[in-house]
Amino acid sequence: MTTHATVAPTATPDPAGPLSVEEAILASFVPETRHDPYPAYEVLREAGPFVPGPFSLQIVSRYAEADAILQDSAWSHANEPAFLHPDSDGSDLPASFLWMEPPDHTRLRRLVTKAFTARGLESLRPRVEEVAREIVDDAIRAGETDVVEHVAYPLPLTMIAELIGVPPEDHASVRAMSAGIARGLDPDTLLTPKELQARVDGAAHFRDYFEKLVAERRARPKDDLVTALAQVEAEGDRLSTGEMIATLTVLLVAGHETTVNLLANGVLSLARNPDQFALLRANPELALPAVDELMRYDGPSHATTRMAVKDMEIAGHSFKEGDGVLILLASANRDPRAFDTPERLDLTRYAQSASVPRHLGFGVGLHYCIGAPLVRLEMECMLRELARRAPVMTLLADPPPYRPNIVVRGIAELPVRFEV
Ligand code: HEM
């Protein structure tokens, strides 16, 4: 049985000099280093494939072991709440199939997969382009703008809300409810009582909200995901009401809280690397492969967990059934054992060679991100729009302030001047 340990969220690593392994572990989780956890990740990778970490979990920071574990059915994701949220009864963690294993995972994931295929989403392209164009127009017109608030939030929030069937007048309230749940994905010991309460409140709001929306769609069906799931639920044993609400909640939260951070990180990375932005402007067809490079280089998903479902040995390390690992996806994506010059942003990386390893920013295996095609579409359209309008993007704060979040890392505010 795994025990629950704490990291001290208030200690700060010594900024001078190279980090020890203990300091690197700390620096991977404390708010003070959220703006740049990559030097800490490097120390962890050099320390070995498995490093004893907090919450009695072994930290996995190298690509090979992260990739192998995520694809191995001997590792389960169902135990994440027990590792990171041991005191929750689960009602405030509406994660649906993200934290399930087959057969329930298969049953629930299959019900929504159709809505998120790349081919199915192509019909949304004109709408995504329209929203991206309006956003970039507004940013250029404003001159100085907070990219997180005015560029990164509106596109993914609008698109996932429209797909699910949340009407425009409710976008602001579902966004407010989502933030508490996204922060609540972090280990409970790193959350303040207020943040824990925000997670509970967010989940309760979503339960009420979706119950009402489902009742409305039952009375007047529409062409949206709420209607589709409500029909499945009405058919009987394939979907319970609780499962339906948890699924809608996870899609809504994961469907924008993550992409917001990718968009903001993307603008930051391009503004810091003007040669790469110039390359994109000259070659707008790089927009799609650029999405994957921006995901690899500074993607928002930093951590996930897995639990061993049997005894096994990997890279000389013995795991017992019930042992857990904390996989640092963003560290694996910077592993020089897998990627040439991983610390360099190279928008041509995924355009040039099919032999570049896939990044782990969307995970891999059974739990591979169901929203990846939607993210690619939204981010590609935004990059094309930025390249087409060719603004000069000047950072007005570098580094910008970051949210404390670990599981989904992101910028709190990104003031940028847009000039054409
Ligand atoms: C940049 C944006 C995104 C990133 C970085 C991201 C990242 C991830 C990662 C790393 C996983 C796998 C977690 C694990 O294996 O432990 C995942 C799963 C998932 N994502 Fe995303 N995601 C993004 C956008 C989205 C969107 C737009 C949606 C909704 C449409 C979404 C819905 C989901 C769901 C439902 C799962 C669970 C899949 C399963 O367990 O089978 N994500 N995501």
Side-chain angles (χ1 to χ4, degrees):
M1 181 65 198
T2 308
T3 54
H4 180 236
T6 56
V7 287
T10 47
T12 312
D14 176 2
L19 298 175
S20 68
V21 174
E22 289 68 31
E23 285 171 331
I25 293 171
L26 199 57
S28 302
F29 301 106
V30 292
E32 290 77 1
T33 39
R34 281 293 77 197
H35 67 283
D36 186 13
Y38 295 105
Y41 293 167
E42 186 182 349
V43 173
L44 295 176
R45 283 194 304 271
E46 290 315 306
F50 301 104
V51 171
F55 320 110
S56 301
L57 300 170
Q58 294 287 325
I59 297 176
V60 181
S61 55
R62 293 184 183 176
Y63 183 92
E65 286 75 22
D67 187 54
I69 289 174
L70 289 172
Q71 293 188 71
D72 187 345
S73 59
W75 291 92
S76 160
H77 200 201
N79 226 51
E80 182 148 324
F83 289 142
L84 305 185
H85 317 291
D87 300 327
S88 166
D89 65 2
S91 61
D92 56 340
L93 295 162
S96 185
F97 54 94
L98 173 63
W99 290 336
M100 288 179 188
E101 289 299 310
D104 285 336
H105 174 269
T106 320
R107 175 175 56 88
L108 292 174
R109 181 166 168 134
R110 199 177 282 153
L111 291 174
V112 290
T113 303
K114 224 173 55 202
F116 294 101
T117 60
R119 201 193 294 170
L121 289 169
E122 257 318 295
S123 63
L124 287 187
R125 184 177 287 269
R127 174 72 179 133
V128 178
E129 285 172 347
E130 181 190 9
V131 178
R133 196 162 46 242
E134 283 168 10
I135 290 169
V136 174
D137 277 351
D138 286 350
I140 290 171
R141 206 174 304 124
E144 286 183 19
T145 198
D146 170 14
V147 164
V148 174
E149 183 63 29
H150 300 294
V151 178
Y153 256 108
L155 181 62
L157 181 62
T158 305
M159 295 321 301
I160 194 67
E162 288 184 2
L163 264 168
I164 289 178
V166 173
E169 61 272 22
D170 296 338
H171 289 190
S173 64
V174 295
R175 173 185 159 179
M177 295 178 217
S178 297
I181 296 187
R183 172 64 174 142
L185 293 173
D186 282 353
D188 288 356
T189 48
L190 300 186
L191 303 181
T192 63
K194 207 171 147 201
E195 288 169 333
L196 275 168
Q197 191 56 45
R199 181 174 80 196
V200 173
D201 293 345
H205 272 105
F206 271 119
R207 262 195 308 279
D208 293 348
Y209 180 76
F210 280 129
E211 267 169 19
K212 278 195 207 110
L213 202 58
V214 166
E216 276 173 33
R217 290 301 187 275
R218 283 221 185 90
R220 276 178 299 281
K222 285 194 176 172
D223 183 16
D224 59 30
L225 208 56
V226 172
T227 307
L229 289 184
Q231 279 162 359
V232 175
E233 184 230 18
E235 284 163 17
D237 60 2
R238 279 196 298 152
L239 181 68
S240 72
T241 307
E243 287 172 337
M244 174 175 58
I245 287 173
T247 302
L248 288 167
T249 306
V250 81
L251 289 173
L252 188 69
V253 176
H256 75 280
E257 281 290 339
T258 45
T259 315
V260 167
N261 297 314
L262 177 66
L263 283 164
N265 290 1
V267 170
L268 177 68
S269 299
L270 291 173
R272 279 178 177 167
N273 294 272
D275 63 317
Q276 293 297 302
F277 189 37
L279 194 69
L280 179 68
R281 289 201 305 255
N283 306 276
E285 72 283 0
L286 278 179
L288 187 56
V291 176
D292 281 293
E293 173 63 351
L294 289 164
M295 279 286 300
R296 183 202 67 78
Y297 179 74
D298 199 14
S301 259
H302 275 237
T304 187
T305 64
R306 290 295 186 271
M307 184 196 76
V309 298
K310 61 175 191 189
D311 295 357
M312 65 188 117
E313 191 171 311
I314 310 179
H317 187 96
S318 295
F319 288 95
K320 294 252 165 293
E321 180 182 345
D323 284 352
V325 288
L326 181 75
I327 302 174
L328 294 177
L329 301 165
S331 168
N333 286 341
R334 294 278 189 112
D335 187 348
R337 294 162 194 79
F339 300 98
D340 289 338
T341 55
E343 67 297 336
R344 204 165 79 82
L345 178 71
D346 173 4
L347 297 190
T348 67
R349 190 183 296 265
Y350 283 99
Q352 277 178 341
S353 160
S355 64
V356 178
R358 67 174 163 260
H359 62 78
L360 300 183
F362 289 125
V364 61
L366 198 66
H367 293 281
Y368 180 76
C369 178
I370 203 168
L374 178 61
V375 176
R376 288 208 170 89
L377 177 63
E378 291 172 349
M379 188 71 178
E380 184 203 345
C381 289
M382 185 59 91
L383 290 177
R384 278 185 185 276
E385 198 50 38
L386 286 171
R388 191 178 70 79
R389 302 296 305 275
V392 176
M393 302 189 292
T394 309
L395 299 172
L396 302 178
D398 192 7
Y402 278 71
R403 302 171 185 187
N405 302 28
I406 292 161
V407 172
V408 181
R409 170 176 169 265
I411 301 169
E413 203 184 323
L414 184 61
V416 170
R417 185 162 49 241
F418 285 82
E419 291 161 294
V420 281

